[in-house]
Amino acid sequence: QVVGLEEARVLLEEGARLVVPLDSVARLRERVGRAEKAREMILAWKKACLDGEKFLFKEVADQYAEICNIGLSFEEATGLTEFYKYAENWIRIATEANRSRLCSLSDIEKLIETGNNMPLDLGELLHGLEAKRVPTRDWLQRFHAEVARGDPPPECHSSGLILLRRIRSLLAADSRAPALEALLAEDPLPASVPPLQLLRAESDARDLTTRVREALARRTARMEALAGLHHEGLALRSGLPLPEEERDRWVLDHETELESAMDRTEKWLKKYNELLGDPHRISIAHIRSLYEEARQIPGNVHTETEAVSHVLRGAEHWLAQYQPLLVRCRTHAAQHTHNGATSEDAGVDVTLAQISAAVASGADLTVDLEEVHAIRVVRDRALQWQERVQSVCPVRQKSKRRIGGAGAKPPLAELERLVQDAADIPVQLDACLDRLQRQIEHIAAWRFDIRCKFKAIAEAFTLELKKTEAVVLEVPTNTTVKAPHDLTGLAGGVVLVATPPPPSETNKIVGSAQHPPPTKPKAAAGATAASHSVREMLVALSDSAQSISVHTAEEELLAHVLEIGDWCDGRAAGGAAVCCSDAVLYHAHGRRELEEHAATGREIAARHPTDGGDREAAGAWIRLLAEQQARVDGIFRRGDRFEEWCGRAKALLQSSDKPSFAVLKDLSEQSAGYRQDFDLVQKIRQEERISSLWINEASVALDGKQKLTMDEAKSLISKGEKLKVLTNELKLLRQQLRISRNFATKVRKIRIEKADVHTVADLKGYIKEGGDLLIKMPQEIEKLQQATCGYCLCRLPYAGFMIGCDGCGEWYHGLCVGVSEAQAERCDSYV
């Protein structure tokens, strides 16, 4: 921290008054002395400066270094420091100005003026600056004299932009241009002046304009060279020593021409790349237009023009050869090309070979012509049409076509579309059209024949359906079950026949329930034979449809009817045997098969024939399908009820909350309709039998005809508590047990041996109460009876201490005979 000189003096005076001398006081005295000396030196310099004396910069620098070493601040030191820094900065700038040519004349003049005013000897630097200023001012005066020539100096009344325009006009004049060029030849000057930069910019702009116009006139500059010339002009504008607004207003003489040429060249090259550079379809007219435009482009596009010319020659040669073919094919491209073709040629069909030859010739061209593409489209349409014809009516058919063998058949409407499409194809297709017509006639005859035969088969099936015997359902022998409502109304009726349950078989599990494997239902004899005969007739009709190459409504109907027949005959998943038997209710695999079978039936029912008449002919099959679906739905409903019963039964057997006996009895009654060898059914019925036996036993005990002992009552209640259900009998037995226990407690509390006061009437009342109980209480009754008898001389009841007479056997109160309990213990006998 710098300390002021006055503050240092005060500290020095305080240190001088100290008794003990300090080294710091001595050092401070030395620094103050040096500061005083430096102050006197600075004051002497100031006086000399006022007298016009100059000093060397080194002396100022040495004195500045001394002040910095002293470390004390005072006013003269501050002034010297500011002067030193100012002078040092001037010397640095003047040195850079002497070394560089970039310093402007105005800056040099300011440096000279400032240097002359400083009290320093700067002769060498000022001499160098003066050497730069003199020739530069001389050049500037000559420039002003040449540019003005009778007019006021431009910089006195105009902006830099006006000066540039004046220079451009003088350079364009043959009489004035040499003088300006001579001034420009003196470049570089010792100092930088804006007029010289403006003169150089206009001279460069004149040369650039000459080169641009020459390149555009000769068409020798490619797009890259034109862009380079344009960038040179932009660089000239950016280097002008003018404000940005004036620079933007400075326009070169060639700028508009160059930008227009670049724009036209760029657009043409873009069109060239779009049409020929990349894979692109183009017409001959566009190629001609592109070639004509290339001849007017000012830029150098000779290479691209030669490529366009080569393509145009090949395209015109192809067009000259196949122009009549374009007209006869009635293509859109023929409307834009006219090369000797007449209007009569448009009505003549061509052969496929002629079209293929034209397409092959066009493939050798380097571009994809629209005219070639138009003929190619006609050829492709003709070939595709022939392929479609071959698929529906092949030339040779050595073997019958199988449905789904080589792919799906096309629809019948495809034949009609082929005939209609042939009229729009300008190619000779007579042979294929004749083959199509013969195929259409053959299919019409087959459809008429198949409809007649199908109706006959439908009538025969209706008669056979009436002869089908009833399907037999299995019902256990030990139950009597009414026919389910789900099976009423089936064709042929339903017969329920009692059959014995299958022998001991391993139970199978469905979910958490156990089910024995199902047994096959017995089908009526003759049903299979009838279905087989009808199916053979349908298969024969289906085989005849294989000779038809298209898909018809009759073939679709045959396939639909065959599906119905196979499903009803058990050929689909599940089978008819499963559908007509409740055995699937006890077997998981059978139920899954039945579900798959039902899903297949729904899918078949959803695919209805499209022809209304054919649907009416297949009515018997459709009715059979609906009846079979209704039968399957009935089995599912019974299965749902059975699953619901199993859930209730398992809940009763496993739940900790016991239901009433009525619930168990209801489940047992419902189980009569299920197989009795089913494990869950047996458990429910066994539980119902055990509960019923216990209820009967408890009822007998509760009627009061025969009393129970306490152990018998406890045993009976224990059995009742082990049941899976709650009963009223168990509740009553628990109540009777509680009453009997209360009675025994009350008798114990009477304490007859303690001589409690009880009347004989009270004791007899207790005896009567005990006699009315359901449970026997022998000890309590005997105790009460003894208390009611008279003893001793006083003939009072047994109470307190009594002693028995060994002679007569009577009991006497100790008080009545004067014998205490202690005396009685010492006597061996008492008479």
Side-chain angles (χ1 to χ4, degrees):
Q1 184 177 359
V2 179
V3 180
L5 180 59
E6 297 299 328
E7 185 179 356
R9 287 173 179 171
V10 173
L11 290 174
L12 184 60
E13 292 176 358
E14 293 177 357
R17 291 194 295 267
L18 296 176
V19 178
V20 180
L22 297 175
D23 293 340
S24 58
V25 175
R27 289 194 299 271
L28 181 60
R29 183 180 297 107
E30 187 267 338
R31 290 174 62 188
V32 170
R34 290 170 59 191
E36 291 289 350
K37 185 178 179 181
R39 183 180 183 185
E40 293 175 359
M41 178 67 70
I42 295 171
L43 291 174
W45 281 357
K46 285 185 177 181
K47 184 177 180 181
C49 289
L50 294 176
D51 296 338
E53 188 178 352
K54 294 184 179 291
F55 303 92
L56 295 177
F57 179 73
K58 184 177 184 305
E59 297 176 358
V60 178
D62 293 342
Q63 193 62 39
Y64 172 74
E66 176 66 16
I67 291 173
C68 291
N69 290 331
I70 293 173
L72 296 178
S73 65
F74 48 93
E75 182 180 357
E76 290 76 10
T78 303
L80 179 64
T81 301
E82 293 177 355
F83 176 74
Y84 169 78
K85 293 182 179 178
Y86 179 79
E88 184 183 33
N89 185 53
W90 184 93
I91 292 173
R92 180 181 58 79
I93 296 174
T95 303
E96 292 178 356
N98 282 326
R99 294 176 181 176
S100 174
R101 296 178 183 272
L102 300 178
C103 187
S104 65
L105 179 60
S106 60
D107 292 339
I108 290 176
E109 292 177 343
K110 290 180 181 179
L111 286 173
I112 292 174
E113 181 182 1
T114 305
N116 290 328
N117 294 331
M118 286 192 299
L120 293 176
D121 184 7
L122 303 171
E124 184 178 353
L125 291 174
L126 289 174
H127 179 72
L129 293 174
E130 190 68 27
K132 285 179 172 285
R133 181 179 67 170
V134 172
T136 304
R137 286 184 62 84
D138 178 63
W139 184 93
L140 192 60
Q141 289 175 359
R142 288 185 286 116
F143 172 80
H144 287 164
E146 186 64 35
V147 172
R149 187 67 68 87
D151 296 333
E155 68 275 10
C156 298
H157 68 280
S158 63
S159 65
L161 188 60
I162 297 177
L163 181 59
L164 283 169
R165 292 174 182 171
R166 181 62 180 270
I167 294 173
R168 183 176 299 182
S169 64
L170 293 176
L171 288 174
D174 295 337
S175 59
R176 306 290 295 276
L180 293 179
E181 291 175 356
L183 290 173
L184 185 61
E186 297 181 20
D187 186 28
L189 294 176
S192 174
V193 288
L196 178 59
Q197 297 178 9
L198 298 179
L199 178 59
R200 187 187 302 113
E202 280 296 339
S203 177
D204 293 342
R206 183 188 60 177
D207 296 341
L208 180 60
T209 299
T210 302
R211 288 190 288 124
V212 168
R213 287 176 176 173
E214 182 180 357
L216 295 179
R218 295 181 179 181
R219 300 176 60 191
T220 57
R222 293 188 65 80
M223 187 62 192
E224 296 81 5
L226 295 177
L229 293 173
H230 181 66
H231 287 308
E232 287 184 28
L234 295 177
L236 287 176
R237 179 181 288 113
S238 63
L240 291 175
L242 298 176
E244 184 176 359
E245 181 180 357
E246 292 188 3
R247 286 202 305 266
D248 294 339
R249 291 167 59 190
W250 184 64
V251 180
L252 286 79
D253 292 340
H254 68 275
E255 193 165 356
T256 303
E257 302 173 24
L258 179 59
E259 290 178 352
S260 175
M262 290 177 60
D263 183 63
R264 291 175 58 191
T265 305
E266 184 178 8
K267 289 182 178 179
W268 188 89
L269 289 174
K270 183 178 180 181
K271 187 185 299 184
Y272 167 82
N273 290 326
E274 289 178 352
L275 298 180
L276 298 180
D278 298 330
H280 190 80
R281 190 173 298 122
I282 183 174
S283 66
I284 297 177
H286 284 123
I287 299 176
R288 288 198 189 106
S289 174
L290 188 64
Y291 179 72
E292 294 297 331
E293 291 179 9
R295 300 174 64 181
Q296 306 299 326
I297 297 300
N300 183 358
V301 291
H302 299 318
T303 304
E304 291 80 2
T305 304
E306 286 296 327
V308 174
S309 176
H310 175 72
V311 172
L312 181 60
R313 287 194 300 270
E316 289 181 340
H317 175 74
W318 181 90
L319 181 63
Q321 185 177 0
Y322 294 104
Q323 173 68 27
L325 189 63
L326 283 172
V327 177
R328 290 162 64 186
C329 289
R330 302 190 293 274
T331 62
H332 178 72
Q335 301 176 6
H336 305 283
T337 56
H338 303 282
N339 195 15
T342 61
S343 58
E344 290 79 5
D345 294 335
V348 180
D349 289 343
V350 297
T351 63
L352 190 58
Q354 293 174 332
I355 295 179
S356 299
V359 172
S361 177
D364 297 334
L365 299 176
T366 57
V367 294
D368 187 9
L369 286 178
E370 289 185 357
E371 292 78 4
V372 176
H373 175 71
I375 294 182
R376 189 187 303 118
V377 169
V378 174
R379 183 201 63 178
D380 294 343
R381 288 179 58 197
L383 292 176
Q384 291 175 1
W385 187 87
Q386 288 183 346
E387 290 177 359
R388 290 163 58 196
V389 171
Q390 179 65 20
S391 65
V392 296
C393 51
V395 177
R396 292 184 178 182
Q397 192 172 0
K398 296 182 180 180
S399 60
K400 292 184 179 181
R401 180 174 176 170
R402 304 298 300 176
I403 296 178
K409 291 183 179 181
L412 179 60
E414 179 68 12
L415 293 176
E416 300 174 358
R417 285 196 295 268
L418 284 172
V419 175
Q420 295 173 359
D421 294 345
D424 298 332
I425 301 176
V427 181
Q428 295 179 5
L429 304 170
D430 297 340
C432 294
L433 284 173
D434 293 342
R435 202 161 69 250
L436 274 178
Q437 191 61 39
R438 291 194 298 271
Q439 183 72 0
I440 291 174
E441 294 174 356
H442 171 69
I443 292 174
W446 178 84
R447 293 183 68 189
F448 177 77
D449 180 65
I450 204 69
R451 287 174 181 269
C452 296
K453 290 181 179 179
F454 189 76
K455 291 179 181 179
I457 293 175
E459 293 174 358
F461 173 75
T462 303
L463 295 176
E464 291 182 354
L465 186 63
K466 295 179 180 179
K467 299 177 183 179
T468 304
E469 296 183 7
V471 178
V472 179
L473 296 180
E474 292 188 354
V475 180
T477 55
N478 55 352
T479 58
T480 302
V481 186
K482 296 181 179 179
H485 298 290
D486 310 75
L487 301 180
T488 57
L490 295 181
V494 178
V495 178
L496 301 177
V497 180
T499 58
S504 58
E505 297 173 337
T506 304
N507 291 341
K508 297 186 178 180
I509 299 177
V510 176
S512 59
Q514 295 182 351
H515 305 272
T519 57
K520 264 193 172 182
K522 299 177 181 178
T528 303
S531 62
H532 279 244
S533 61
V534 173
R535 191 176 189 280
E536 289 174 359
M537 298 171 67
L538 292 174
V539 171
L541 288 180
S542 179
D543 290 340
S544 68
Q546 308 310 314
S547 62
I548 304 302
S549 59
V550 294
H551 184 73
T552 62
E554 290 77 11
E555 187 176 356
E556 181 182 355
L557 179 61
L558 280 172
H560 186 68
V561 169
L562 278 173
E563 283 185 329
I564 295 176
D566 289 344
W567 189 82
C568 295
D569 196 33
R571 299 176 186 271
V578 176
C579 297
C580 297
S581 174
D582 282 352
V584 297
L585 303 179
Y586 308 95
H587 193 273
H589 181 68
R591 186 178 179 88
R592 284 195 301 269
E593 288 183 348
L594 183 61
E595 291 174 352
E596 296 174 359
H597 188 68
T600 304
R602 288 191 295 270
E603 293 177 1
I604 295 174
R607 297 193 293 268
H608 299 304
T610 56
D611 191 302
D614 293 340
R615 181 179 176 85
E616 182 180 356
W621 293 94
I622 295 175
R623 286 192 299 273
L624 176 62
L625 178 63
E627 293 171 356
Q628 192 70 7
Q629 285 180 313
R631 185 179 305 173
V632 172
D633 292 341
I635 294 177
F636 276 125
R637 287 193 295 272
R638 293 192 296 277
D640 294 339
R641 290 196 297 270
F642 176 71
E643 291 296 332
E644 188 268 338
W645 181 90
C646 289
R648 291 168 55 200
K650 286 185 288 185
L652 184 143
L653 295 175
Q654 299 174 1
S655 176
S656 58
D657 297 333
K658 296 181 179 180
S660 64
F661 175 72
V663 176
L664 177 61
K665 187 175 183 181
D666 181 61
L667 287 174
S668 178
E669 292 175 354
Q670 293 177 7
S671 68
Y674 305 130
R675 293 181 57 161
Q676 301 305 299
D677 57 347
F678 184 59
D679 184 64
L680 194 57
V681 172
Q682 292 179 354
K683 288 182 179 179
I684 289 296
R685 294 181 68 83
Q686 180 180 2
E687 192 64 34
E688 191 270 339
R689 285 194 298 271
I690 294 173
S691 299
S692 297
L693 291 175
W694 184 88
I695 290 174
N696 292 335
E697 184 179 355
S699 299
V700 172
L702 289 172
D703 63 4
K705 294 181 179 180
Q706 185 177 357
K707 293 186 177 184
L708 302 175
T709 64
M710 181 64 72
D711 293 338
E712 290 175 346
K714 290 180 180 180
S715 176
L716 187 60
I717 290 174
S718 177
K719 291 180 180 179
E721 290 176 345
K722 294 179 181 180
L723 298 178
K724 299 292 185 179
V725 294
L726 294 176
T727 61
N728 292 330
E729 289 77 6
L730 179 61
K731 181 179 179 180
L732 294 175
L733 284 174
R734 287 174 174 170
Q735 182 180 2
Q736 291 296 325
L737 180 61
R738 185 169 57 255
I739 293 172
S740 299
R741 287 176 175 172
N742 292 338
F743 176 78
T745 302
K746 184 166 57 176
V747 170
R748 283 196 301 272
K749 290 180 178 180
I750 293 176
R751 293 186 298 179
I752 300 174
E753 65 280 2
K754 298 297 183 179
D756 292 343
V757 179
H758 291 280
T759 63
V760 175
D762 292 338
L763 296 176
K764 289 183 178 180
Y766 290 150
I767 294 173
K768 183 177 185 306
E769 180 182 349
D772 294 338
L773 295 177
L774 181 65
I775 300 175
K776 298 177 181 180
M777 306 295 291
Q779 295 178 357
E780 287 76 5
I781 297 297
E782 182 180 357
K783 182 178 180 179
L784 292 172
Q785 287 176 352
Q786 289 179 359
T788 57
C789 297
Y791 297 95
C792 189
L793 301 175
C794 63
R795 306 311 297 169
L796 291 177
Y798 187 96
F801 169 69
M802 299 188 72
I803 186 171
C805 178
D806 293 332
C808 64
E810 184 66 27
W811 288 87
Y812 298 92
H813 298 101
L815 294 176
C816 293
V817 295
V819 178
S820 64
E821 188 173 358
Q823 293 174 344
E825 290 179 357
R826 291 194 297 269
C827 296
D828 294 334
S829 63
Y830 176 73
V831 179

